[in-house]
Amino acid sequence: MNRNFYFYSMTSQDSIINKTVVFVKKTLANVEGGHDWFHTERVYKNALLIAKKESVDLFIVSLGALLHDIADSKFHNGDDTIGPKIAKTFLSGIGVDSSVINHVVNIIENISFNSSLSVNNKTETFKSTELDVIQDADRLDAIGAIGIARCFNYGGFKNRLLYNPEIKPNLTMSKAEYKASTAPTINHFYEKLLLLKDKMNTQTGQQIALERHNYMLGFLEQFYNEWQGVK
């Protein structure tokens, strides 16, 4: 079911992908643990898994997944432009065709959860099946057991409270408000993680997300019981 729009030999594609892996590993060395190479590797593997049942260009899926978090704006003062610039410079430097680069850059610019939030009453408009696949893979890594671990790791990195019953989740945040939020870590479950199940683009993503979603619900129930001293 996979389609190839860009005319590279398999040997050339493999060489470009291998160079990209090396570049991403080096660039993400020593970053926050929830957004490191291992996160990227999981997204890459899940993207290839989901792609098996979708009509997509695997070359684009591979490059988009590997470069999707090359410079997360959270660690660059909220600047969403750095990641796409780094990806474009790297891909241009190894001779990747401009049409491929443009597609990958568009994926990076539109993959994040906050890209789905309104900006001056407008939402992002770029669409592609490759983006759908990579977005599902990225969102899957934000839920379930791994998602819980990443959530609390980032909360600790930012020195946030675990939970404060007096600080309620904000379910109507704009993109700017979401990026500026300093709410307790538990709030993030309601402001993002528990919403992802219904934002999956593919059937495979939906199936995997349901299991991971239910796991998070069980975790939250146990968390509140322990917080209240019930268990």
Side-chain angles (χ1 to χ4, degrees), residues 166-203:
E166 297 181 2
I167 302 176
K168 304 301 181 184
N170 182 355
L171 304 182
T172 60
M173 283 188 286
S174 67
K175 180 177 180 178
E177 289 172 330
Y178 176 83
K179 292 174 72 171
S181 175
T182 59
T185 297
I186 283 293
N187 289 33
H188 195 57
F189 282 78
Y190 301 95
E191 294 167 350
K192 177 182 177 180
L193 308 191
L194 293 175
L195 306 178
L196 295 180
K197 173 179 68 69
D198 295 326
K199 290 182 174 290
M200 292 291 159
N201 303 300
T202 67
Q203 186 174 3

Short mmCIF file of all heavy atoms in Angstrom, two decimals, residues 166-203:
data_model
loop_
_atom_site.label_atom_id
_atom_site.label_comp_id
_atom_site.label_asym_id
_atom_site.label_seq_id
_atom_site.Cartn_x
_atom_site.Cartn_y
_atom_site.Cartn_z
N GLU A 166 -6.34 22.51 43.99
CA GLU A 166 -6.91 23.85 43.83
C GLU A 166 -6.64 24.46 42.45
O GLU A 166 -7.25 25.46 42.08
CB GLU A 166 -6.38 24.77 44.93
CG GLU A 166 -6.80 24.34 46.34
CD GLU A 166 -6.28 25.29 47.40
OE1 GLU A 166 -5.62 26.29 47.03
OE2 GLU A 166 -6.52 25.02 48.59
N ILE A 167 -5.72 23.86 41.71
CA ILE A 167 -5.40 24.37 40.36
C ILE A 167 -6.06 23.44 39.35
O ILE A 167 -5.60 22.33 39.12
CB ILE A 167 -3.88 24.44 40.13
CG1 ILE A 167 -3.21 25.33 41.18
CG2 ILE A 167 -3.57 24.97 38.72
CD1 ILE A 167 -1.70 25.38 41.08
N LYS A 168 -7.14 23.90 38.76
CA LYS A 168 -7.92 23.07 37.86
C LYS A 168 -7.34 23.08 36.45
O LYS A 168 -6.79 24.10 36.00
CB LYS A 168 -9.37 23.54 37.81
CG LYS A 168 -10.05 23.61 39.18
CD LYS A 168 -10.06 22.24 39.85
CE LYS A 168 -10.75 22.30 41.22
NZ LYS A 168 -10.68 21.00 41.93
N PRO A 169 -7.48 21.99 35.71
CA PRO A 169 -7.04 21.97 34.31
C PRO A 169 -7.77 23.02 33.48
O PRO A 169 -8.95 23.29 33.71
CB PRO A 169 -7.41 20.55 33.85
CG PRO A 169 -7.48 19.74 35.11
CD PRO A 169 -7.98 20.68 36.16
N ASN A 170 -7.06 23.60 32.55
CA ASN A 170 -7.64 24.59 31.64
C ASN A 170 -7.87 23.92 30.29
O ASN A 170 -6.92 23.64 29.55
CB ASN A 170 -6.70 25.78 31.49
CG ASN A 170 -7.27 26.87 30.59
OD1 ASN A 170 -8.33 26.71 30.00
ND2 ASN A 170 -6.57 27.98 30.50
N LEU A 171 -9.12 23.68 29.95
CA LEU A 171 -9.44 22.94 28.74
C LEU A 171 -9.73 23.83 27.54
O LEU A 171 -10.11 23.34 26.47
CB LEU A 171 -10.64 22.03 29.00
CG LEU A 171 -10.48 21.04 30.17
CD1 LEU A 171 -11.72 20.18 30.30
CD2 LEU A 171 -9.23 20.19 29.99
N THR A 172 -9.55 25.12 27.71
CA THR A 172 -9.85 26.05 26.61
C THR A 172 -8.64 26.94 26.29
O THR A 172 -8.81 28.07 25.84
CB THR A 172 -11.06 26.94 26.96
OG1 THR A 172 -10.77 27.68 28.15
CG2 THR A 172 -12.31 26.09 27.18
N MET A 173 -7.45 26.43 26.47
CA MET A 173 -6.25 27.23 26.24
C MET A 173 -6.01 27.51 24.76
O MET A 173 -6.25 26.64 23.91
CB MET A 173 -5.02 26.51 26.81
CG MET A 173 -4.89 26.60 28.31
SD MET A 173 -3.29 25.94 28.87
CE MET A 173 -3.57 24.18 28.67
N SER A 174 -5.52 28.69 24.48
CA SER A 174 -5.01 29.01 23.16
C SER A 174 -3.61 28.40 23.03
O SER A 174 -3.04 27.91 24.01
CB SER A 174 -4.93 30.52 22.96
OG SER A 174 -3.94 31.06 23.83
N LYS A 175 -3.05 28.47 21.84
CA LYS A 175 -1.69 27.97 21.62
C LYS A 175 -0.70 28.69 22.53
O LYS A 175 0.16 28.06 23.15
CB LYS A 175 -1.30 28.12 20.16
CG LYS A 175 0.10 27.63 19.83
CD LYS A 175 0.39 27.74 18.34
CE LYS A 175 1.78 27.26 18.01
NZ LYS A 175 2.07 27.31 16.56
N ALA A 176 -0.83 30.00 22.63
CA ALA A 176 0.09 30.79 23.46
C ALA A 176 -0.05 30.42 24.93
O ALA A 176 0.95 30.30 25.65
CB ALA A 176 -0.16 32.28 23.26
N GLU A 177 -1.27 30.26 25.39
CA GLU A 177 -1.51 29.89 26.79
C GLU A 177 -0.97 28.50 27.08
O GLU A 177 -0.39 28.25 28.15
CB GLU A 177 -3.01 29.94 27.10
CG GLU A 177 -3.58 31.35 27.15
CD GLU A 177 -5.09 31.36 27.25
OE1 GLU A 177 -5.74 30.41 26.74
OE2 GLU A 177 -5.64 32.31 27.84
N TYR A 178 -1.15 27.59 26.15
CA TYR A 178 -0.66 26.22 26.33
C TYR A 178 0.87 26.22 26.46
O TYR A 178 1.42 25.57 27.35
CB TYR A 178 -1.09 25.36 25.14
CG TYR A 178 -0.56 23.94 25.17
CD1 TYR A 178 -1.21 22.96 25.91
CD2 TYR A 178 0.59 23.58 24.48
CE1 TYR A 178 -0.73 21.67 25.96
CE2 TYR A 178 1.09 22.29 24.52
CZ TYR A 178 0.42 21.33 25.26
OH TYR A 178 0.91 20.06 25.31
N LYS A 179 1.54 26.95 25.60
CA LYS A 179 3.00 26.98 25.62
C LYS A 179 3.54 27.66 26.87
O LYS A 179 4.65 27.36 27.32
CB LYS A 179 3.52 27.68 24.36
CG LYS A 179 3.26 26.89 23.09
CD LYS A 179 3.65 27.66 21.84
CE LYS A 179 5.12 27.78 21.69
NZ LYS A 179 5.50 28.35 20.37
N ALA A 180 2.77 28.57 27.45
CA ALA A 180 3.23 29.32 28.62
C ALA A 180 2.81 28.68 29.94
O ALA A 180 3.20 29.14 31.01
CB ALA A 180 2.70 30.75 28.57
N SER A 181 2.04 27.62 29.88
CA SER A 181 1.48 27.02 31.09
C SER A 181 2.56 26.48 32.02
O SER A 181 3.55 25.89 31.58
CB SER A 181 0.52 25.89 30.72
OG SER A 181 0.06 25.22 31.88
N THR A 182 2.36 26.69 33.34
CA THR A 182 3.25 26.13 34.36
C THR A 182 2.44 25.28 35.35
O THR A 182 2.84 25.11 36.50
CB THR A 182 3.97 27.26 35.12
OG1 THR A 182 2.99 28.12 35.73
CG2 THR A 182 4.84 28.08 34.19
N ALA A 183 1.33 24.76 34.91
CA ALA A 183 0.42 24.01 35.78
C ALA A 183 1.06 22.71 36.28
O ALA A 183 2.01 22.21 35.70
CB ALA A 183 -0.86 23.69 35.02
N PRO A 184 0.51 22.15 37.38
CA PRO A 184 1.01 20.87 37.89
C PRO A 184 0.96 19.78 36.82
O PRO A 184 0.13 19.82 35.90
CB PRO A 184 0.06 20.56 39.04
CG PRO A 184 -0.45 21.90 39.47
CD PRO A 184 -0.55 22.70 38.23
N THR A 185 1.81 18.79 36.97
CA THR A 185 1.94 17.74 35.97
C THR A 185 0.63 16.99 35.73
O THR A 185 0.30 16.67 34.58
CB THR A 185 3.04 16.75 36.38
OG1 THR A 185 4.29 17.46 36.43
CG2 THR A 185 3.15 15.60 35.40
N ILE A 186 -0.13 16.70 36.77
CA ILE A 186 -1.38 15.97 36.60
C ILE A 186 -2.34 16.70 35.67
O ILE A 186 -3.08 16.09 34.91
CB ILE A 186 -2.05 15.70 37.97
CG1 ILE A 186 -1.33 14.55 38.69
CG2 ILE A 186 -3.53 15.35 37.81
CD1 ILE A 186 -1.48 13.19 38.02
N ASN A 187 -2.33 18.01 35.69
CA ASN A 187 -3.21 18.79 34.82
C ASN A 187 -2.97 18.47 33.35
O ASN A 187 -3.88 18.53 32.52
CB ASN A 187 -3.01 20.28 35.05
CG ASN A 187 -3.56 20.74 36.39
OD1 ASN A 187 -3.55 19.99 37.35
ND2 ASN A 187 -4.04 21.97 36.44
N HIS A 188 -1.73 18.14 33.02
CA HIS A 188 -1.37 17.88 31.63
C HIS A 188 -2.12 16.67 31.07
O HIS A 188 -2.36 16.59 29.86
CB HIS A 188 0.14 17.68 31.52
CG HIS A 188 0.67 17.75 30.12
ND1 HIS A 188 0.50 18.86 29.31
CD2 HIS A 188 1.36 16.85 29.37
CE1 HIS A 188 1.08 18.64 28.14
NE2 HIS A 188 1.60 17.43 28.15
N PHE A 189 -2.50 15.75 31.95
CA PHE A 189 -3.28 14.60 31.49
C PHE A 189 -4.60 15.07 30.86
O PHE A 189 -5.01 14.58 29.82
CB PHE A 189 -3.58 13.66 32.66
CG PHE A 189 -2.42 12.79 33.04
CD1 PHE A 189 -1.36 13.30 33.80
CD2 PHE A 189 -2.37 11.46 32.66
CE1 PHE A 189 -0.29 12.50 34.15
CE2 PHE A 189 -1.30 10.65 33.00
CZ PHE A 189 -0.26 11.17 33.75
N TYR A 190 -5.23 16.04 31.51
CA TYR A 190 -6.54 16.51 31.06
C TYR A 190 -6.43 17.55 29.94
O TYR A 190 -7.33 17.65 29.10
CB TYR A 190 -7.31 17.10 32.25
CG TYR A 190 -7.49 16.08 33.34
CD1 TYR A 190 -6.59 16.01 34.40
CD2 TYR A 190 -8.52 15.14 33.28
CE1 TYR A 190 -6.72 15.05 35.39
CE2 TYR A 190 -8.67 14.18 34.27
CZ TYR A 190 -7.77 14.12 35.32
OH TYR A 190 -7.89 13.16 36.29
N GLU A 191 -5.32 18.27 29.93
CA GLU A 191 -5.13 19.32 28.93
C GLU A 191 -4.56 18.79 27.62
O GLU A 191 -4.65 19.46 26.59
CB GLU A 191 -4.22 20.41 29.51
CG GLU A 191 -4.86 21.14 30.68
CD GLU A 191 -3.88 22.00 31.46
OE1 GLU A 191 -2.66 21.89 31.23
OE2 GLU A 191 -4.34 22.79 32.33
N LYS A 192 -4.01 17.57 27.67
CA LYS A 192 -3.46 16.99 26.44
C LYS A 192 -3.61 15.47 26.36
O LYS A 192 -4.26 14.96 25.45
CB LYS A 192 -1.97 17.35 26.28
CG LYS A 192 -1.33 16.71 25.05
CD LYS A 192 0.15 17.03 24.93
CE LYS A 192 0.77 16.31 23.74
NZ LYS A 192 2.22 16.59 23.61
N LEU A 193 -2.99 14.75 27.29
CA LEU A 193 -2.82 13.30 27.12
C LEU A 193 -4.12 12.54 26.93
O LEU A 193 -4.22 11.66 26.07
CB LEU A 193 -2.03 12.72 28.31
CG LEU A 193 -0.70 13.40 28.66
CD1 LEU A 193 0.07 12.56 29.66
CD2 LEU A 193 0.13 13.67 27.42
N LEU A 194 -5.14 12.86 27.73
CA LEU A 194 -6.41 12.14 27.63
C LEU A 194 -7.21 12.57 26.40
O LEU A 194 -8.21 11.92 26.06
CB LEU A 194 -7.24 12.35 28.89
CG LEU A 194 -6.67 11.72 30.17
CD1 LEU A 194 -7.51 12.10 31.38
CD2 LEU A 194 -6.57 10.20 30.04
N LEU A 195 -6.78 13.62 25.73
CA LEU A 195 -7.47 14.08 24.52
C LEU A 195 -6.94 13.40 23.27
O LEU A 195 -7.59 13.43 22.22
CB LEU A 195 -7.30 15.60 24.37
CG LEU A 195 -7.72 16.47 25.56
CD1 LEU A 195 -7.44 17.94 25.25
CD2 LEU A 195 -9.19 16.25 25.89
N LEU A 196 -5.77 12.78 23.36
CA LEU A 196 -5.10 12.29 22.16
C LEU A 196 -5.79 11.09 21.53
O LEU A 196 -5.71 10.89 20.31
CB LEU A 196 -3.64 11.96 22.49
CG LEU A 196 -2.79 13.17 22.87
CD1 LEU A 196 -1.36 12.74 23.17
CD2 LEU A 196 -2.81 14.21 21.77
N LYS A 197 -6.45 10.27 22.33
CA LYS A 197 -7.14 9.09 21.79
C LYS A 197 -8.10 9.47 20.67
O LYS A 197 -8.19 8.78 19.65
CB LYS A 197 -7.90 8.37 22.91
CG LYS A 197 -8.79 7.22 22.43
CD LYS A 197 -9.50 6.53 23.58
CE LYS A 197 -10.54 7.41 24.25
NZ LYS A 197 -11.71 7.67 23.37
N ASP A 198 -8.78 10.57 20.84
CA ASP A 198 -9.77 10.99 19.85
C ASP A 198 -9.19 11.88 18.75
O ASP A 198 -9.93 12.37 17.89
CB ASP A 198 -10.92 11.73 20.54
CG ASP A 198 -11.70 10.83 21.49
OD1 ASP A 198 -11.83 9.63 21.17
OD2 ASP A 198 -12.15 11.31 22.54
N LYS A 199 -7.88 12.06 18.77
CA LYS A 199 -7.23 12.86 17.74
C LYS A 199 -6.38 12.02 16.80
O LYS A 199 -5.65 12.56 15.95
CB LYS A 199 -6.36 13.95 18.39
CG LYS A 199 -7.17 15.05 19.08
CD LYS A 199 -6.26 16.12 19.65
CE LYS A 199 -7.07 17.29 20.21
NZ LYS A 199 -7.73 18.07 19.15
N MET A 200 -6.47 10.70 16.92
CA MET A 200 -5.69 9.83 16.05
C MET A 200 -6.24 9.88 14.63
O MET A 200 -7.45 9.94 14.41
CB MET A 200 -5.71 8.40 16.58
CG MET A 200 -4.96 8.23 17.90
SD MET A 200 -3.18 8.45 17.69
CE MET A 200 -2.71 8.83 19.39
N ASN A 201 -5.33 9.82 13.67
CA ASN A 201 -5.70 9.93 12.26
C ASN A 201 -5.94 8.59 11.58
O ASN A 201 -6.71 8.51 10.62
CB ASN A 201 -4.57 10.64 11.50
CG ASN A 201 -4.23 12.00 12.07
OD1 ASN A 201 -5.07 12.89 12.12
ND2 ASN A 201 -2.99 12.18 12.51
N THR A 202 -5.29 7.53 12.06
CA THR A 202 -5.32 6.24 11.39
C THR A 202 -5.99 5.19 12.26
O THR A 202 -6.05 5.32 13.49
CB THR A 202 -3.90 5.75 11.06
OG1 THR A 202 -3.20 5.46 12.29
CG2 THR A 202 -3.12 6.81 10.28
N GLN A 203 -6.48 4.14 11.63
CA GLN A 203 -7.12 3.06 12.38
C GLN A 203 -6.14 2.36 13.30
O GLN A 203 -6.46 2.04 14.44
CB GLN A 203 -7.75 2.05 11.42
CG GLN A 203 -8.56 0.97 12.12
CD GLN A 203 -9.29 0.05 11.14
OE1 GLN A 203 -9.15 0.19 9.93
NE2 GLN A 203 -10.05 -0.88 11.66
#
